[in-house]
Amino acid sequence: MVHHYHDRMTDAPMSGCQDLLVAIDGPVASGKTAVGEALSRRFGWRLFDTGIMYRAATWQAQRRAVHLDEHETVADLIRASEFRLVPCSDRNSTGLDVYVDGHDATPHLRESAVESGVPTVAAIAEVRALMVEIQQREAARGCMIVVGRDIGTVVLPHAPVKIFLDASEQVRAQRRAAEQAEQSDGVDEESVLVATRRRDARDRSRRTSPLVVASDAITLDTSELTLDESIDLAEQIVRQRIPELSLSGDAVPPAGS
Ligand code: DC
């Protein structure tokens, strides 16, 4: 039986969905998004990559010309801004688009200014509190893979499944470099390793919600695994923790098929 938990036209959650949540946390380039995306397809769920919230907040501050180091001004602006999450306009995607004050922030989220500013914004405690509230409201719809850094610890401490994806620094830097090489020439692996190390240190030492493994999370080290192997293992973990899923045999065909 094919079992879609979301009505794909209206995206209205169906009954029994609320408790069906998978939290995936992990450091940069650990494969969180790729694994989360694949799982969301297999289960017919939505993918909520919470990094988009911090990126959208950064974009909003930058377009309003607020200096990111002025934490209170940034927090005031974010408090006064309206964030709206909607199913991705790309029908092939299981993800969400984010609107800020009615403007679609989605096309701007990977711009280099946002990329370099987002760690500063993500470290502001008031901004995090506001984002966490929105994330919890969105996740209450259920049938969702929620990906981030603090999902199992702060956003969804009661999620039935928590996976902490990890990989060695070296492997993550190699993956990052390969990703970047697809977009531009002359990527230097050593400098990617240094940047990865710097971002890790920042995420882990942040005063508010540092990247830590939830005590009830299952750590999946993907250093020696292919992406497909990581996805299969993550799926097994979810099916063990949420037995209803195994009964429904719910895999949905990949997008476009
Ligand atoms: O996963 P990402 O690269 O899109 O995340 C962007 C930034 O937001 C990164 O600095 C980590 C931060 N982040 C966070 O602090 N907490 C989350 N739940 C998600 C992302």
Side-chain angles (χ1 to χ4, degrees), residues 50-51 54-55 110 118-119 122 128 148-151 199 206:
T50 57
Y54 296 97
R55 289 173 181 270
R110 310 282 150 189
V118 66
R128 296 200 70 84
R149 304 288 192 291
D150 58 344
I151 308 304
R199 272 189 73 171
R206 185 168 65 200

